[in-house]
Amino acid sequence: MPRVSPVDPQTRIAQREELEHQLAEGTISLGQAIKRMRQNWAGITQKRMAQLAGISVTTLSGLERDSGNATLDTVHRVLRVLGARLTIRLD
């Protein structure tokens, strides 16, 4: 995977807000959002992400495909590597 150029703070904020909007609207899944963040923000492979999060590549792959049964701890570990966190918002 090619290295990703650093994203300026304003662009990253805009991308984060767009992902949040898509998640809230249901047009993107949590797994799809995690995959985009891994590829576009971190620019790392699944193998490296799994190592950093302390999970298996199989678990990460399943999470990104929205299959399997990931625990909240697993999701938290992955998001922490990306500098993100899972929150619950009541509307």
Side-chain angles (χ1 to χ4, degrees):
M1 176 177 291
R3 281 195 129 349
V4 174
S5 299
V7 176
D8 67 89
Q10 292 298 341
T11 301
R12 186 170 174 139
I13 290 168
Q15 289 175 349
R16 187 194 74 225
E17 289 173 352
E18 179 61 23
L19 276 177
E20 288 173 354
H21 174 74
Q22 290 173 342
L23 282 164
E25 294 295 316
T27 58
I28 187 174
S29 68
L30 178 60
Q32 291 168 330
I34 288 171
K35 184 175 181 176
R36 283 189 191 175
M37 288 186 283
R38 176 181 61 79
Q39 291 177 332
N40 299 337
W41 296 359
I44 57 177
T45 64
Q46 281 185 334
K47 181 179 179 180
R48 182 64 180 142
M49 171 66 92
Q51 290 171 338
L52 292 170
I55 62 174
S56 72
V57 175
T58 303
T59 299
L60 178 59
S61 176
L63 178 60
E64 289 184 352
R65 287 182 287 113
D66 298 303
S67 64
N69 194 15
T71 65
L72 286 176
D73 180 60
T74 298
V75 174
H76 174 73
R77 287 171 176 245
V78 170
L79 291 176
R80 189 173 53 218
V81 171
L82 296 167
R85 64 178 174 217
L86 182 64
T87 60
I88 297 173
R89 185 179 72 206
L90 302 174
D91 292 324

Coordinates of all heavy atoms in Angstrom, one line a residue:
M1 N 0.8 -1.2 0.0 CA 0.0 0.0 0.0 C 0.9 1.2 0.0 O 1.8 1.3 0.8 CB -0.9 0.0 1.2 CG -1.7 1.2 1.4 SD -2.9 1.1 2.8 CE -4.0 -0.1 2.3
P2 N 0.6 2.2 -0.9 CA 1.5 3.4 -0.9 C 1.2 4.2 0.4 O 0.2 4.2 1.0 CB 1.0 4.1 -2.1 CG -0.4 3.6 -2.5 CD -0.4 2.2 -1.9
R3 N 2.3 5.0 0.7 CA 2.2 5.8 1.8 C 1.2 7.0 1.6 O 1.1 7.5 0.5 CB 3.5 6.4 2.2 CG 4.4 5.4 2.9 CD 5.6 6.1 3.5 NE 6.0 6.1 4.8 CZ 5.5 5.6 5.9 NH1 4.4 5.1 5.9 NH2 6.1 5.7 7.1
V4 N 0.5 7.4 2.6 CA -0.5 8.4 2.5 C 0.2 9.7 2.9 O 0.9 9.8 3.9 CB -1.7 8.2 3.4 CG1 -2.6 9.3 3.4 CG2 -2.4 6.9 2.9
S5 N 0.0 10.8 2.1 CA 0.6 12.1 2.5 C -0.1 12.6 3.7 O -1.3 12.4 3.8 CB 0.4 13.1 1.3 OG 1.1 12.6 0.2
P6 N 0.6 13.3 4.5 CA -0.1 13.9 5.7 C -1.3 14.8 5.2 O -1.2 15.5 4.3 CB 1.0 14.7 6.4 CG 2.3 14.2 5.9 CD 2.0 13.6 4.5
V7 N -2.4 14.7 6.0 CA -3.5 15.5 5.7 C -3.5 16.7 6.6 O -3.3 16.6 7.8 CB -4.8 14.7 5.9 CG1 -6.1 15.5 5.7 CG2 -4.8 13.5 5.0
D8 N -3.8 17.9 6.0 CA -3.8 19.1 6.8 C -5.0 19.0 7.8 O -5.9 18.4 7.6 CB -3.8 20.4 6.0 CG -5.1 20.5 5.2 OD1 -6.1 21.1 5.8 OD2 -5.2 20.0 4.1
P9 N -4.8 19.7 8.9 CA -5.9 19.6 10.0 C -7.3 20.0 9.5 O -8.2 19.3 9.9 CB -5.4 20.6 11.1 CG -3.9 20.7 10.9 CD -3.7 20.5 9.4
Q10 N -7.4 21.0 8.7 CA -8.8 21.3 8.2 C -9.4 20.2 7.3 O -10.6 20.0 7.4 CB -8.7 22.7 7.4 CG -8.4 23.9 8.3 CD -9.5 24.1 9.4 OE1 -10.6 23.6 9.3 NE2 -9.1 24.8 10.4
T11 N -8.6 19.6 6.5 CA -9.1 18.5 5.6 C -9.5 17.4 6.5 O -10.5 16.7 6.3 CB -8.0 18.1 4.6 OG1 -7.7 19.3 3.8 CG2 -8.5 17.0 3.7
R12 N -8.7 17.0 7.5 CA -9.0 15.9 8.3 C -10.3 16.2 9.1 O -11.1 15.2 9.3 CB -7.8 15.6 9.3 CG -8.1 14.4 10.1 CD -6.8 13.9 10.8 NE -7.2 12.8 11.7 CZ -6.4 11.8 11.9 NH1 -5.3 11.7 11.3 NH2 -6.8 10.8 12.7
I13 N -10.5 17.4 9.6 CA -11.7 17.7 10.3 C -12.9 17.5 9.4 O -13.9 16.9 9.8 CB -11.6 19.1 10.9 CG1 -10.6 19.2 12.0 CG2 -13.0 19.6 11.3 CD1 -10.3 20.6 12.5
A14 N -12.8 18.0 8.2 CA -13.9 17.9 7.2 C -14.1 16.4 6.9 O -15.3 16.0 6.8 CB -13.5 18.7 5.9
Q15 N -13.1 15.6 6.7 CA -13.3 14.2 6.5 C -13.9 13.5 7.7 O -14.8 12.6 7.5 CB -11.9 13.5 6.1 CG -11.4 13.9 4.8 CD -10.0 13.4 4.5 OE1 -9.4 12.8 5.4 NE2 -9.5 13.5 3.3
R16 N -13.5 13.9 8.9 CA -14.1 13.3 10.1 C -15.6 13.6 10.2 O -16.4 12.8 10.4 CB -13.3 13.7 11.3 CG -13.8 13.0 12.6 CD -13.4 13.6 13.9 NE -14.2 14.8 14.0 CZ -13.7 16.0 14.4 NH1 -12.4 16.2 14.6 NH2 -14.5 17.1 14.6
E17 N -15.9 14.9 9.9 CA -17.3 15.3 10.0 C -18.1 14.6 9.0 O -19.3 14.2 9.2 CB -17.4 16.8 9.9 CG -16.9 17.6 11.1 CD -16.8 19.1 10.9 OE1 -17.0 19.6 9.7 OE2 -16.5 19.8 11.9
E18 N -17.6 14.4 7.8 CA -18.3 13.7 6.7 C -18.5 12.2 7.1 O -19.6 11.7 6.9 CB -17.6 13.7 5.4 CG -18.2 13.0 4.3 CD -19.6 13.5 3.9 OE1 -20.0 14.6 4.2 OE2 -20.4 12.7 3.3
L19 N -17.5 11.6 7.7 CA -17.7 10.2 8.2 C -18.8 10.1 9.3 O -19.6 9.2 9.3 CB -16.4 9.6 8.7 CG -15.4 9.0 7.7 CD1 -14.1 8.6 8.3 CD2 -16.1 7.9 6.9
E20 N -18.7 11.1 10.2 CA -19.7 11.1 11.3 C -21.1 11.3 10.7 O -22.0 10.6 11.2 CB -19.4 12.3 12.3 CG -18.2 12.0 13.1 CD -17.8 13.2 14.0 OE1 -18.4 14.3 13.8 OE2 -16.9 13.1 14.8
H21 N -21.3 12.1 9.7 CA -22.6 12.3 9.1 C -23.0 11.1 8.4 O -24.2 10.7 8.6 CB -22.5 13.5 8.1 CG -23.7 13.7 7.3 ND1 -24.8 14.3 7.8 CD2 -24.0 13.4 6.0 CE1 -25.8 14.3 6.9 NE2 -25.3 13.8 5.8
Q22 N -22.1 10.4 7.6 CA -22.5 9.2 7.0 C -22.9 8.1 7.9 O -23.8 7.3 7.7 CB -21.4 8.7 6.0 CG -21.2 9.6 4.8 CD -19.9 9.3 4.0 OE1 -19.0 8.6 4.5 NE2 -19.9 9.7 2.8
L23 N -22.2 8.0 9.0 CA -22.5 7.0 10.1 C -23.9 7.3 10.7 O -24.7 6.4 10.8 CB -21.4 6.9 11.2 CG -20.2 6.2 10.8 CD1 -19.0 6.6 11.8 CD2 -20.4 4.7 10.8
A24 N -24.1 8.5 11.0 CA -25.4 8.9 11.6 C -26.6 8.7 10.6 O -27.7 8.3 11.0 CB -25.4 10.4 12.0
E25 N -26.3 8.9 9.3 CA -27.4 8.7 8.3 C -27.5 7.2 7.9 O -28.5 6.9 7.3 CB -27.1 9.6 7.1 CG -27.1 11.0 7.3 CD -28.5 11.5 7.6 OE1 -29.5 11.1 7.0 OE2 -28.7 12.3 8.6
G26 N -26.6 6.4 8.3 CA -26.6 5.0 7.9 C -26.2 4.7 6.5 O -26.5 3.6 6.0
T27 N -25.5 5.7 5.8 CA -25.0 5.4 4.5 C -23.6 4.8 4.4 O -23.2 4.4 3.4 CB -25.0 6.8 3.7 OG1 -24.1 7.7 4.4 CG2 -26.3 7.4 3.5
I28 N -23.0 4.6 5.6 CA -21.8 3.9 5.7 C -21.8 3.1 7.0 O -22.4 3.6 8.0 CB -20.6 4.9 5.7 CG1 -19.2 4.1 5.6 CG2 -20.6 5.8 6.8 CD1 -18.0 5.0 5.4
S29 N -21.2 1.9 7.0 CA -21.2 1.1 8.3 C -19.9 1.5 9.1 O -19.0 2.1 8.6 CB -21.1 -0.3 7.9 OG -19.9 -0.7 7.3
L30 N -19.9 1.0 10.3 CA -18.8 1.3 11.2 C -17.5 0.6 10.6 O -16.4 1.2 10.5 CB -19.0 0.7 12.6 CG -17.8 0.9 13.6 CD1 -17.5 2.3 13.8 CD2 -18.2 0.2 14.9
G31 N -17.7 -0.6 10.0 CA -16.5 -1.3 9.4 C -16.0 -0.5 8.2 O -14.8 -0.4 8.0
Q32 N -16.9 0.0 7.4 CA -16.4 0.8 6.2 C -15.7 2.1 6.7 O -14.7 2.5 6.1 CB -17.6 1.2 5.3 CG -18.2 0.0 4.6 CD -19.6 0.3 4.0 OE1 -20.3 1.2 4.5 NE2 -19.9 -0.4 2.9
A33 N -16.2 2.7 7.7 CA -15.6 3.9 8.3 C -14.2 3.6 8.8 O -13.2 4.3 8.5 CB -16.4 4.5 9.3
I34 N -14.1 2.5 9.5 CA -12.8 2.1 10.0 C -11.8 1.8 8.9 O -10.6 2.3 8.9 CB -12.9 0.9 11.0 CG1 -13.6 1.3 12.3 CG2 -11.5 0.2 11.2 CD1 -14.0 0.2 13.2
K35 N -12.2 1.1 7.9 CA -11.4 0.8 6.7 C -10.9 2.1 6.1 O -9.7 2.3 5.7 CB -12.1 0.0 5.7 CG -11.2 -0.5 4.6 CD -12.0 -1.4 3.6 CE -11.1 -1.9 2.5 NZ -11.7 -2.9 1.7
R36 N -11.8 3.1 5.9 CA -11.4 4.4 5.3 C -10.4 5.1 6.1 O -9.4 5.6 5.6 CB -12.6 5.3 5.1 CG -13.5 4.9 3.9 CD -14.5 5.9 3.6 NE -15.5 5.4 2.7 CZ -16.6 6.1 2.3 NH1 -16.8 7.2 2.8 NH2 -17.4 5.6 1.4
M37 N -10.6 5.1 7.4 CA -9.7 5.8 8.3 C -8.3 5.1 8.3 O -7.3 5.8 8.2 CB -10.2 5.8 9.7 CG -11.4 6.8 9.9 SD -11.9 6.9 11.7 CE -12.8 5.4 11.9
R38 N -8.3 3.8 8.3 CA -7.0 3.1 8.2 C -6.3 3.4 6.9 O -5.1 3.7 7.0 CB -7.3 1.6 8.3 CG -6.0 0.7 8.2 CD -6.3 -0.7 8.3 NE -7.1 -1.3 7.3 CZ -6.8 -1.5 6.0 NH1 -5.6 -1.3 5.6 NH2 -7.7 -2.0 5.1
Q39 N -7.0 3.3 5.8 CA -6.3 3.5 4.5 C -6.0 5.0 4.3 O -4.9 5.3 3.9 CB -7.2 3.0 3.4 CG -7.4 1.5 3.4 CD -8.3 1.0 2.3 OE1 -9.2 1.7 1.9 NE2 -8.1 -0.2 1.8
N40 N -6.9 5.9 4.5 CA -6.8 7.3 4.1 C -6.1 8.1 5.1 O -5.4 9.1 4.8 CB -8.1 7.9 3.8 CG -8.8 7.2 2.6 OD1 -8.2 6.6 1.8 ND2 -10.1 7.3 2.6
W41 N -6.2 7.8 6.4 CA -5.6 8.6 7.4 C -4.3 8.1 7.9 O -3.3 8.8 8.0 CB -6.5 8.8 8.6 CG -7.8 9.6 8.3 CD1 -8.2 10.1 7.1 CD2 -8.9 9.8 9.2 NE1 -9.4 10.7 7.2 CE2 -9.9 10.6 8.5 CE3 -9.1 9.5 10.5 CZ2 -11.0 11.0 9.1 CZ3 -10.3 9.9 11.1 CH2 -11.2 10.7 10.4
A42 N -4.3 6.8 8.2 CA -3.1 6.1 8.7 C -2.2 5.6 7.6 O -1.0 5.5 7.8 CB -3.5 5.0 9.7
G43 N -2.8 5.2 6.5 CA -2.0 4.6 5.4 C -1.3 3.4 5.8 O -0.1 3.2 5.3
I44 N -1.9 2.5 6.6 CA -1.2 1.3 7.0 C -2.0 0.1 6.5 O -3.2 0.2 6.3 CB -1.0 1.3 8.5 CG1 -2.3 1.4 9.3 CG2 0.0 2.3 8.9 CD1 -2.2 1.3 10.8
T45 N -1.4 -1.0 6.5 CA -2.0 -2.3 6.1 C -2.8 -2.8 7.2 O -2.7 -2.4 8.4 CB -0.9 -3.3 5.7 OG1 -0.2 -3.6 6.9 CG2 0.0 -2.9 4.6
Q46 N -3.7 -3.8 6.9 CA -4.5 -4.5 7.9 C -3.5 -5.2 8.9 O -3.8 -5.1 10.1 CB -5.4 -5.5 7.3 CG -6.6 -5.0 6.7 CD -7.6 -6.0 6.3 OE1 -7.2 -7.1 5.9 NE2 -8.9 -5.7 6.2
K47 N -2.4 -5.7 8.4 CA -1.5 -6.5 9.3 C -0.9 -5.5 10.3 O -0.9 -5.8 11.5 CB -0.4 -7.1 8.4 CG 0.6 -7.9 9.3 CD 1.7 -8.5 8.4 CE 2.7 -9.2 9.2 NZ 3.7 -9.9 8.4
R48 N -0.5 -4.3 9.9 CA 0.1 -3.4 10.8 C -0.9 -2.8 11.8 O -0.6 -2.7 13.0 CB 0.8 -2.2 10.0 CG 1.5 -1.2 10.9 CD 2.6 -1.8 11.6 NE 3.3 -0.9 12.5 CZ 3.7 -1.1 13.7 NH1 3.7 -2.3 14.2 NH2 4.3 -0.2 14.4
M49 N -2.1 -2.6 11.3 CA -3.2 -2.1 12.2 C -3.5 -3.1 13.2 O -3.6 -2.8 14.4 CB -4.4 -1.8 11.4 CG -5.7 -1.5 12.2 SD -5.5 0.0 13.2 CE -6.2 1.2 12.1
A50 N -3.6 -4.4 12.8 CA -3.9 -5.4 13.8 C -2.8 -5.5 14.8 O -3.1 -5.7 16.0 CB -4.0 -6.8 13.0
Q51 N -1.5 -5.4 14.4 CA -0.4 -5.4 15.4 C -0.5 -4.3 16.4 O -0.4 -4.5 17.6 CB 0.9 -5.3 14.6 CG 1.3 -6.5 13.8 CD 2.5 -6.3 12.9 OE1 2.8 -5.2 12.6 NE2 3.2 -7.4 12.6
L52 N -0.8 -3.1 15.9 CA -0.9 -1.9 16.8 C -2.1 -2.0 17.7 O -2.0 -1.6 18.9 CB -1.0 -0.7 15.9 CG 0.2 -0.3 15.1 CD1 -0.1 0.9 14.2 CD2 1.4 0.1 16.0
A53 N -3.1 -2.7 17.3 CA -4.3 -2.8 18.1 C -4.3 -4.0 19.0 O -5.1 -4.2 19.9 CB -5.6 -2.8 17.2
G54 N -3.4 -4.9 18.7 CA -3.3 -6.1 19.5 C -4.4 -7.1 19.2 O -4.8 -7.8 20.2
I55 N -4.8 -7.2 18.0 CA -5.8 -8.2 17.6 C -5.3 -8.9 16.3 O -4.2 -8.5 15.8 CB -7.1 -7.4 17.2 CG1 -7.0 -6.5 16.1 CG2 -7.7 -6.8 18.5 CD1 -8.2 -5.8 15.6
S56 N -6.0 -9.9 15.9 CA -5.6 -10.7 14.7 C -6.0 -10.0 13.5 O -7.0 -9.2 13.5 CB -6.1 -12.1 14.8 OG -7.5 -12.1 14.5
V57 N -5.3 -10.3 12.4 CA -5.7 -9.7 11.1 C -7.1 -10.2 10.7 O -7.9 -9.5 10.1 CB -4.7 -10.1 10.0 CG1 -5.1 -9.7 8.6 CG2 -3.3 -9.5 10.3
T58 N -7.4 -11.5 11.0 CA -8.7 -12.0 10.7 C -9.8 -11.2 11.5 O -10.9 -10.9 10.9 CB -8.8 -13.5 11.2 OG1 -7.8 -14.2 10.5 CG2 -10.1 -14.1 10.9
T59 N -9.6 -10.9 12.7 CA -10.5 -10.1 13.5 C -10.7 -8.7 12.8 O -11.9 -8.2 12.7 CB -10.1 -9.9 14.9 OG1 -10.0 -11.2 15.5 CG2 -11.1 -9.1 15.7
L60 N -9.6 -8.0 12.5 CA -9.7 -6.7 11.8 C -10.4 -6.8 10.5 O -11.3 -6.0 10.2 CB -8.3 -6.1 11.7 CG -8.3 -4.7 11.0 CD1 -9.1 -3.7 11.7 CD2 -6.9 -4.3 10.8
S61 N -10.1 -7.8 9.7 CA -10.7 -8.0 8.4 C -12.2 -8.2 8.6 O -13.0 -7.6 7.8 CB -10.1 -9.2 7.7 OG -10.8 -9.4 6.5
G62 N -12.6 -9.0 9.5 CA -14.1 -9.2 9.8 C -14.7 -7.9 10.2 O -15.9 -7.6 9.8
L63 N -14.1 -7.1 11.1 CA -14.6 -5.8 11.5 C -14.8 -4.9 10.4 O -15.9 -4.3 10.2 CB -13.7 -5.2 12.6 CG -14.1 -3.9 13.1 CD1 -15.4 -3.9 13.8 CD2 -13.0 -3.4 14.1
E64 N -13.9 -4.8 9.5 CA -14.0 -3.9 8.3 C -15.0 -4.4 7.3 O -15.6 -3.6 6.6 CB -12.6 -3.8 7.6 CG -11.6 -3.0 8.4 CD -10.3 -2.8 7.7 OE1 -10.1 -3.3 6.6 OE2 -9.5 -2.0 8.2
R65 N -15.3 -5.7 7.3 CA -16.4 -6.2 6.4 C -17.7 -6.3 7.1 O -18.7 -6.8 6.5 CB -16.0 -7.6 5.9 CG -14.9 -7.6 4.9 CD -14.5 -9.0 4.4 NE -13.8 -9.7 5.4 CZ -14.3 -10.8 6.0 NH1 -15.4 -11.3 5.7 NH2 -13.5 -11.4 6.9
D66 N -17.8 -5.8 8.4 CA -19.0 -5.9 9.2 C -19.5 -7.3 9.3 O -20.7 -7.6 9.3 CB -20.1 -5.0 8.6 CG -19.7 -3.6 8.5 OD1 -19.4 -3.0 9.6 OD2 -19.7 -3.0 7.5
S67 N -18.6 -8.3 9.4 CA -19.0 -9.7 9.7 C -18.3 -10.1 11.0 O -17.5 -9.4 11.5 CB -18.5 -10.5 8.5 OG -17.1 -10.6 8.4
G68 N -18.7 -11.2 11.4 CA -18.1 -11.7 12.7 C -18.9 -11.1 13.8 O -20.0 -10.5 13.7
N69 N -18.3 -11.1 15.0 CA -18.9 -10.6 16.2 C -17.9 -9.8 17.1 O -17.5 -10.3 18.1 CB -19.5 -11.7 16.9 CG -20.5 -11.3 18.0 OD1 -20.9 -10.2 18.0 ND2 -20.8 -12.2 18.9
A70 N -17.4 -8.7 16.6 CA -16.4 -7.9 17.3 C -17.0 -7.4 18.6 O -18.1 -7.0 18.7 CB -15.9 -6.8 16.5
T71 N -16.1 -7.5 19.7 CA -16.5 -6.9 21.0 C -16.3 -5.4 21.0 O -15.5 -4.9 20.2 CB -15.7 -7.6 22.1 OG1 -14.3 -7.2 21.9 CG2 -15.8 -9.1 22.1
L72 N -16.9 -4.8 22.0 CA -16.6 -3.3 22.1 C -15.2 -3.1 22.4 O -14.6 -2.1 22.0 CB -17.5 -2.7 23.2 CG -19.0 -2.6 22.9 CD1 -19.8 -2.1 24.1 CD2 -19.2 -1.6 21.7
D73 N -14.5 -4.0 23.1 CA -13.1 -3.8 23.4 C -12.3 -3.8 22.1 O -11.4 -3.0 22.0 CB -12.6 -4.9 24.4 CG -11.1 -4.8 24.7 OD1 -10.7 -3.8 25.2 OD2 -10.4 -5.7 24.3
T74 N -12.6 -4.7 21.2 CA -11.9 -4.8 19.9 C -12.1 -3.5 19.2 O -11.1 -2.9 18.6 CB -12.4 -6.0 19.1 OG1 -12.1 -7.2 19.8 CG2 -11.7 -6.1 17.8
V75 N -13.3 -3.0 19.1 CA -13.6 -1.8 18.4 C -12.8 -0.6 19.0 O -12.2 0.2 18.3 CB -15.1 -1.5 18.3 CG1 -15.4 -0.1 17.7 CG2 -15.9 -2.6 17.5
H76 N -12.8 -0.6 20.3 CA -12.1 0.5 21.1 C -10.6 0.4 20.7 O -10.0 1.5 20.5 CB -12.3 0.3 22.6 CG -11.5 1.2 23.4 ND1 -11.8 2.6 23.5 CD2 -10.5 1.0 24.2 CE1 -10.9 3.1 24.3 NE2 -10.1 2.2 24.7
R77 N -10.0 -0.8 20.7 CA -8.6 -0.9 20.4 C -8.2 -0.4 19.0 O -7.2 0.3 18.9 CB -8.2 -2.4 20.5 CG -8.1 -3.0 21.9 CD -7.9 -4.5 21.7 NE -7.7 -5.1 23.0 CZ -6.6 -5.7 23.4 NH1 -5.6 -5.8 22.6 NH2 -6.6 -6.2 24.6
V78 N -9.1 -0.7 18.1 CA -8.8 -0.3 16.7 C -9.0 1.2 16.6 O -8.1 1.9 16.0 CB -9.8 -1.0 15.7 CG1 -9.7 -0.4 14.3 CG2 -9.5 -2.5 15.6
L79 N -10.1 1.8 17.1 CA -10.3 3.2 17.0 C -9.2 4.0 17.8 O -8.8 5.1 17.3 CB -11.7 3.5 17.6 CG -12.9 3.1 16.7 CD1 -14.2 3.4 17.4 CD2 -12.8 3.7 15.3
R80 N -8.7 3.5 18.9 CA -7.6 4.1 19.6 C -6.4 4.3 18.7 O -5.8 5.4 18.8 CB -7.3 3.4 20.9 CG -6.4 4.1 21.8 CD -6.2 3.5 23.2 NE -5.8 2.1 23.0 CZ -6.2 1.1 23.8 NH1 -7.1 1.3 24.7 NH2 -5.8 -0.1 23.6
V81 N -6.1 3.3 17.9 CA -4.9 3.4 17.0 C -5.1 4.5 16.0 O -4.2 5.2 15.7 CB -4.7 2.1 16.3 CG1 -3.7 2.2 15.2 CG2 -4.3 1.0 17.3
L82 N -6.4 4.7 15.6 CA -6.7 5.8 14.7 C -6.9 7.2 15.3 O -7.2 8.1 14.6 CB -8.0 5.4 13.9 CG -7.8 4.1 13.0 CD1 -9.2 3.6 12.6 CD2 -6.9 4.4 11.9
G83 N -6.8 7.2 16.6 CA -7.1 8.5 17.3 C -8.5 8.9 17.3 O -8.9 10.0 17.4
A84 N -9.4 7.8 17.4 CA -10.8 8.0 17.4 C -11.4 7.3 18.6 O -10.7 6.5 19.2 CB -11.5 7.5 16.1
R85 N -12.7 7.5 18.9 CA -13.3 6.8 19.9 C -14.8 6.6 19.6 O -15.4 7.3 18.8 CB -13.2 7.5 21.3 CG -13.9 8.8 21.3 CD -13.8 9.5 22.7 NE -14.3 10.8 22.5 CZ -13.9 11.9 23.1 NH1 -12.9 11.7 23.9 NH2 -14.4 13.0 23.0
L86 N -15.3 5.6 20.2 CA -16.7 5.2 19.9 C -17.6 5.9 21.0 O -17.3 5.8 22.2 CB -16.9 3.7 20.0 CG -18.3 3.2 19.8 CD1 -18.7 3.4 18.3 CD2 -18.3 1.7 20.0
T87 N -18.6 6.6 20.6 CA -19.5 7.3 21.5 C -20.9 6.9 21.2 O -21.2 6.5 20.0 CB -19.3 8.8 21.5 OG1 -19.6 9.3 20.2 CG2 -17.9 9.2 21.9
I88 N -21.8 7.2 22.1 CA -23.2 7.0 21.9 C -23.9 8.3 22.0 O -23.7 9.0 23.0 CB -23.8 6.0 22.9 CG1 -23.2 4.6 22.7 CG2 -25.3 5.9 22.7 CD1 -23.6 3.6 23.8
R89 N -24.6 8.7 21.0 CA -25.3 10.0 21.0 C -26.8 9.7 20.9 O -27.3 9.1 20.0 CB -24.8 10.9 19.9 CG -25.4 12.3 19.9 CD -25.0 13.1 18.8 NE -25.6 12.6 17.5 CZ -25.1 12.7 16.3 NH1 -23.9 13.3 16.2 NH2 -25.7 12.3 15.3
L90 N -27.6 10.3 21.8 CA -29.0 10.2 21.8 C -29.6 11.4 21.2 O -29.3 12.5 21.6 CB -29.6 10.0 23.2 CG -29.0 8.7 24.0 CD1 -29.5 8.7 25.4 CD2 -29.4 7.5 23.3
D91 N -30.4 11.3 20.2 CA -31.0 12.4 19.5 C -32.5 12.6 20.0 O -33.1 11.7 20.4 CB -31.0 12.2 18.0 CG -29.6 12.3 17.4 OD1 -28.8 13.1 17.9 OD2 -29.4 11.5 16.5

